[in-house]
Amino acid sequence: MRTLKLISFLSAFSFFFLIGCESGSSGGTSDGGETGDSTQTGDTTQTDQSSDDLSDQTYGVDVSSNNGVINWEAAREYQIQFAYARASEGITLQDEKFSENRSGMQEAGITWGAYHFFYAGDPAEKQFDNFVGVVGDDAGDLPPMLDLEVAGLDTDTDISVEDYQTEALSLLQLMEEKYGKRPIIYTSSNFGNQSYLHNEKFAKYTLWVADYPDGMNSYPPSGEPIVPSPWKDKGWAIWQFSDEGSFPNMSSGPYDMDYFKGSLEELKNLQ
């Protein structure tokens, strides 16, 4: 882990919170962000952290072409230790910024992974082919991630819960067979509690949950996210706690902020 100079580190976070690290919404867009849907309430206060304390935390971001150009060297200086970049969506969309983001993450020495946004109604095999067509044989240092959220439901396709589960689980299996790592499931606390994910087979996959508590203005984040019922026993591993990340000179717009409950080495060894 890289340890920042405390002054520059805290000033960066001060900027971050001044622009508003609070309950937010990405409008359900397919960029790895979910509408904030937590029912939690209550204010928190930002507390000072020593550089040693902060170096023990494992923070990351997830991005897509919607975030524009990312300064990955700046991300590293702000102690971002891992990042995921969108590679593909459904059977046709391929993220135009993926190659650039992948190179930037690698050159900056940031542990990285790739994700696919799932479209209900598109066959799993064709979605898998689209993902592989972008990332090739190397999906990153981390397990691939499958983004399951309400924006992936095609309003023109009347897909049953059973068919949704079959296709999503098939895609997860194809990813695992190809890359030798069990994929991570990203979903929100809201969508994860809907019937589409009510299948115990999903719980074998690590949970990355999006949940933005009301009044969230602390870094590190305080409290706990709401865990969707399929993972009530296993719990969460990665928490997307804000979609309003904005460190100076890192990007032209906000991006998702994430926290891993463990060390960077533990994140790398997820199975």
Side-chain angles (χ1 to χ4, degrees), residues 64-116:
S64 71
S65 58
N66 296 327
N67 300 107
V69 177
I70 305 294
N71 182 343
W72 290 107
E73 290 293 336
R76 183 186 64 180
E77 292 306 316
Y78 292 131
Q79 212 172 22
I80 298 302
Q81 299 182 62
F82 72 94
Y84 271 79
R86 183 182 64 177
S88 52
E89 291 189 12
I91 61 177
T92 57
L93 190 149
Q94 298 184 342
D95 195 297
E96 62 185 15
K97 290 289 185 181
F98 177 76
S99 293
E100 179 181 327
N101 282 326
R102 174 167 57 184
S103 296
M105 291 183 289
Q106 290 174 328
E107 291 170 4
I110 294 174
T111 300
W112 70 281
Y115 77 87
H116 175 81

Side-chain angles (χ1 to χ4, degrees), residues 5 11 25 29 68 77 117 120 127 132 149 194 197 213 219 232 261:
K5 293 182 179 179
S11 63
S25 170
T29 57
E77 292 306 316
F117 186 91
Q127 295 200 56
V132 175
E149 57 182 277
Q194 296 184 25
L197 296 186
Y219 194 107
K232 64 181 180 180
K261 187 166 55 175

Side-chain angles (χ1 to χ4, degrees), residues 5-259:
K5 293 182 179 179
L6 183 58
I7 294 176
S8 61
F9 185 72
L10 291 178
S11 63
F13 287 137
S14 297
F15 180 91
F16 172 68
F17 290 113
L18 284 172
I19 67 160
C21 175
E22 56 187 19
S23 175
S25 170
S26 60
T29 57
S30 51
D31 62 354
E34 271 277 13
T35 300
D37 48 39
S38 171
T39 58
Q40 298 180 26
T41 59
D43 294 334
T44 58
T45 55
Q46 182 178 353
T47 57
D48 290 339
Q49 299 284 327
S50 71
S51 57
D52 288 339
D53 289 336
L54 290 167
S55 69
D56 290 336
Q57 310 296 324
T58 308
Y59 292 96
V61 296
D62 57 277
V63 302
S64 71
S65 58
N66 296 327
N67 300 107
V69 177
I70 305 294
N71 182 343
W72 290 107
E73 290 293 336
R76 183 186 64 180
E77 292 306 316
Y78 292 131
Q79 212 172 22
I80 298 302
Q81 299 182 62
F82 72 94
Y84 271 79
R86 183 182 64 177
S88 52
E89 291 189 12
I91 61 177
T92 57
L93 190 149
Q94 298 184 342
D95 195 297
E96 62 185 15
K97 290 289 185 181
F98 177 76
S99 293
E100 179 181 327
N101 282 326
R102 174 167 57 184
S103 296
M105 291 183 289
Q106 290 174 328
E107 291 170 4
I110 294 174
T111 300
W112 70 281
Y115 77 87
H116 175 81
F117 186 91
F118 180 78
Y119 275 175
D122 286 348
E125 289 188 359
K126 290 186 177 181
Q127 295 200 56
F128 173 70
D129 289 342
N130 190 29
F131 181 72
V132 175
V134 177
V135 304
D137 293 330
D138 182 9
D141 307 310
L142 301 171
M145 181 262 275
L146 184 61
D147 186 339
L148 302 175
E149 57 182 277
V150 67
L153 294 175
D154 188 344
T155 56
D156 296 327
T157 301
D158 185 19
I159 187 169
S160 68
V161 169
E162 181 180 0
D163 287 344
Y164 182 97
Q165 293 176 355
T166 296
E167 293 300 326
L169 289 167
S170 295
L171 182 50
L172 288 162
Q173 182 176 349
L174 288 168
M175 287 177 157
E176 184 171 359
E177 291 173 352
K178 169 69 175 178
Y179 297 106
K181 297 178 181 179
R182 182 172 294 175
I184 296 170
I185 288 178
Y186 167 96
T187 192
S188 72
S189 55
N190 188 352
F191 187 70
N193 276 317
Q194 296 184 25
S195 57
Y196 292 101
L197 296 186
H198 279 196
N199 187 321
E200 62 182 10
K201 293 180 180 178
F202 286 118
K204 81 172 187 178
Y205 297 96
T206 296
L207 173 65
W208 181 340
V209 62
D211 187 34
Y212 314 144
D214 293 339
M216 172 70 76
N217 63 0
S218 63
Y219 194 107
S222 61
E224 290 279 330
I226 295 175
V227 175
S229 56
W231 289 271
K232 64 181 180 180
D233 294 328
K234 187 175 181 180
W236 62 277
I238 303 175
W239 177 12
Q240 184 186 96
F241 61 90
S242 175
D243 62 353
E244 294 290 334
S246 185
F247 293 137
N249 302 317
M250 184 171 152
S251 76
S252 57
Y255 41 82
D256 299 329
M257 292 290 297
D258 307 292
Y259 170 67

